[in-house]
Every structure is written in structure tokens, then in C-alpha cells.
Amino acid sequence: MTSRVRGVIARGKGEPVEVTTVLVPDPGPGEALVAVQACGVCHTDLHYREGGIGDDYPYLLGHEAAGVVEAVGDGVTSVTPGDFVILNWRAVCGECRACRRGRPWYCFATHNAQQKMTLEDGTVLSPALGIGAFVDKTLVAAGQCTKVDPAVPPEVAGLLGCGVMAGLGAAINTAPVTRGDSVAVIGCGGVGDAAILGARLAGARTIIGVDIDPRKLELAQQFGATHVINSRETDPVERIQELTGGNGADVVIEAIGRPETYLQAFYGRDLAGTVVLVGVPTPDMRLEAPLLDFFGRGGALKSSWYGDCLPERDFPMLTDLYLLDKFVSEIIALDQVEAAFAKMERGEVLRSVVKL
Ligand code: APR
Ligand code: ZN
Ligand code: ZN
């Protein structure tokens, strides 16, 4: 039986989002119907609203979510009704070229099972990142549901579904940071702070947070930064070198996605150090630097997609660590997503989380 529920949609480029009725069909083969309990407000939702990702309006927004499986379709054995799950936007398929080569964190299988949720007039909704979770119930591929400990509050667990996992994974999986490393993180929003936490969990000795906003530097220290740099006042490259015995950091994680901060990361690392780009640039951005420096400084320049995570391996481990509640800046209702976008743009929050 089709469920009639409330959801947050973006109807057109730049238009304020609205709460409306969404029709969600029962799960078909390989699918799961999930009662969403909480969903974080992520920059990617705002990018969908602003037309930065595509033109497939209307979008059903929301993708950092946790909830309870309500029903499953034929052939689903990985989850059963009642399971508490985090939704992931990249279920590992096990069959694509990346999976077969043993690099499942690059799995590029897409899930179209969910393109079945509609408005009351039959208009098909495009769910953000193949999830669509600012809604009481959502329909996903069963592989997008990762079972975790139900003792973890949903507003905390859901954050692992995107931004917090991206930052943690940039440090733990992509770099990877190891015991005793010096690490600098440029940009201390939700993603950067998660990278700081990841560096701490991995045993880094020196962790340097860099931001232009003093409020963010304060938070960075709460997540484990041993030093902070206000890069509006102090040259971050020089200061990172000073704090690392003149060498630069073993690992520098760029968590903004801008050419000038990427170059700070590039020059802020030790010879043969590692740069991890987890911030997402826009298509117009260009990098200009002497090619000789790329040769002469050696090391590794990496990017981190979704923290190179494997949901089944990483989500249960990280929820057990239980250190994530500080990322929740505020709990809001379904009709407050537009206001949350404004707070996000003013830099007032790490994460606003919708509780359903
Ligand atoms: N130098 C230093 N810090 C900066 C600069 C700059 N030039 N510009 C912005 N910042 C800081 C902001 O003050 C903020 O604290 O970067 C941080 C960005 O954080 P958020 O806006 O909260 O974004 P977040 O959710 O952390 O995502 C960061 O990662 O996954 C990607 O798409 C995401 O590109 C985005 C990035
Ligand atoms: Zn695959
Ligand atoms: Zn996201």
C-alpha cells in the first residue's frame, strides 16, 4: 500500500524548499522502506536546491539519515523490519569493475530503485544522492541500509551517512593518518572537524586546525586540535612549519574545496607528505603552481570521496565510538530546512538535524 507522507522538496533553481505530500510505494525486489528518524542538513542539499548538481527538479532533499526499516521487498536478506540503519549513498555492489578489482570504495554502481517516489499529481521525484530523506518514509535499495547499534541516537548516527564520514574517512582511510603523525586540517566545518577527530582516533600527535572563523577554531579544539591557526591573521604555511619543527605536516587535509587553500595544503606538508582533498571544488576552479614543485616535493596528492568508506565496515565501528554528538548543532523540524540553509551559509552550525 502506498504511504502518503510529508517530505521536503526543491521545485526549481533557487526557489525556497517546501514541505509537501510525498507518495512512497511499497518496496519492490531488492528494496527497503525506511521510517526516517533524523536527517542532517548538508551543503549538497543546498547545491541541489541551487541547481549546482543537476536540473532534475523536483528534488526530494536530505541524505544524511538514520531510521528504522519498516518493510523489505522480495529477496532482501541483509536487513529485516525493525532494524536500525544508517542510509548510505554508495552501497557496494560487488560486481562492477571497481569492486572486482578490490577497490570497492570506488564502486560506481548506481541505484535507481528509488526513482519511484512521487508527488500527489504523479510527478516523479529525484531523491538527493539516491536517498531523499527529509521525509517520514523513504524507499531505498536494501544495500543502502547499514545496520548499526540502536542505542546510538538517530540524529548522531545519521551524520555518518555523509559529511562526518567524509571527514573521518579522509583521515582514517584516505591519508591514512598513522600513530605519531603531524596533521593539519584546513577548514574546520563539519567535515574538517570530523577529519580532526579522525586524526585523533588514528593517533596523530600534532593536529593543527586552520580556519578564518574563530568560532570554528574553538570547535576544532573541542574535537582534538592541539593547535589552531586563524589564516586571516597568520600565514598558515609558515605557522604549520613552525609547529612541526620547520618541516611541514605529514598529512594536510583540505576540507573546503578551493584552489588557494589547496595550495596552502600543498605547501604546508612535509617533503614527501600527503595532501588529501575532501572539500569539493566547483567546475570553474583552476589551480596554478610550478610543476617543478609537484616533482620536487614528492609524496602523495589524494582525493577522498565519501571518506573512501565501506559503509558495512566503517559505520558500525564509528557509531560504537560514540564521539559524534558534538556535530549536532541544533535539532529542527521538517519545515525548518530553509532556515537551516541560511544558518549554514552564515557559518553558524556544524550540522542542523531534522528530527522526524
Ligand atoms: N580559509 C580557511 N578556512 C575557510 C576559508 C578559507 N579561505 N573559507 C572557508 N573556510 C572555512 C569556513 O569558515 C568553515 O568553517 O571552511 C569551513 C567550511 O565548513 P562548512 O561550510 O561547514 O562546510 P563542511 O560541511 O565542513 O564541508 C566542507 O567538504 O564535503 C565537502 O561539499 C563539502 O566542499 C565542502 C567541504
Ligand atoms: Zn561495485
Ligand atoms: Zn552530504
Side-chain angles (χ1 to χ4, degrees), residues 43 187-192 211-213 216 231 255-256 261 278-280 351:
H43 278 254
C188 302
V191 174
D211 206 291
I212 47 176
D213 183 339
K216 297 299 175 67
S231 54
I256 304 165
T261 44
V278 63
V280 184
R351 276 295 186 271

Side-chain angles (χ1 to χ4, degrees), residues 146-333:
T146 307
K147 242 177 110 159
V148 294
D149 184 347
V152 183
E155 62 272 27
V156 174
L159 297 186
L160 277 176
C162 183
V164 171
M165 184 66 244
L168 282 164
I172 295 175
N173 295 331
T174 310
V177 173
T178 54
R179 205 164 54 237
D181 275 353
S182 54
V183 178
V185 176
I186 304 188
C188 302
V191 174
D193 282 343
I196 287 172
L197 177 59
R200 188 174 113 198
L201 293 172
R205 191 183 52 208
T206 305
I207 305 174
I208 305 165
V210 181
D211 206 291
I212 47 176
D213 183 339
R215 293 171 300 178
K216 297 299 175 67
L217 295 174
E218 178 70 42
L219 286 162
Q221 285 171 307
Q222 292 178 25
F223 284 106
T226 55
H227 304 80
V228 291
I229 301 173
N230 184 332
S231 54
R232 194 165 262 157
E233 296 166 354
T234 307
D235 181 86
V237 173
E238 279 176 21
R239 185 73 185 127
I240 290 169
Q241 285 167 345
E242 270 171 34
L243 291 169
T244 52
N247 300 318
D250 295 310
V251 175
V252 187
I253 296 171
E254 202 278 8
I256 304 165
R258 302 192 57 81
E260 61 275 22
T261 44
Y262 186 82
L263 287 178
Q264 291 168 3
F266 182 78
Y267 288 109
R269 83 197 156 123
D270 197 357
L271 268 185
T274 300
V275 174
V276 178
L277 176 64
V278 63
V280 184
T282 55
D284 54 300
M285 291 176 176
R286 295 287 178 275
L287 193 65
E288 202 164 311
L291 188 55
L292 184 59
D293 286 353
F294 287 82
F295 177 77
R297 302 178 64 83
L301 307 176
K302 297 180 169 183
S303 19
S304 185
W305 305 343
Y306 203 177
D308 289 341
C309 75
L310 295 179
E312 296 294 324
R313 176 193 67 189
D314 293 341
F315 291 0
M317 187 247 311
L318 292 165
T319 46
D320 285 352
L321 293 172
Y322 235 105
L323 297 164
L324 306 175
D325 50 321
K326 280 203 201 73
F327 287 102
V328 181
S329 307
E330 60 167 1
I331 303 267
I332 60 172

Side-chain angles (χ1 to χ4, degrees), residues 25 28-32 88-89 91 108-117 124-127 129-131 139-144:
E31 294 174 346
N88 70 73
W89 45 261
F108 42 72
T110 52
H111 299 278
N112 51 13
Q114 324 80 320
Q115 304 269 4
K116 294 178 179 172
M117 293 182 276
V124 177
L125 293 165
S126 308
L129 291 176
I131 293 182
L139 187 66
V140 294
Q144 292 182 281

Side-chain angles (χ1 to χ4, degrees), residues 91-100 103-104 106-109:
V92 171
C93 77
E95 289 165 12
C96 72
R97 181 167 164 269
C99 284
R100 282 190 279 111
R103 298 172 189 167
Y106 288 132
C107 177
F108 42 72

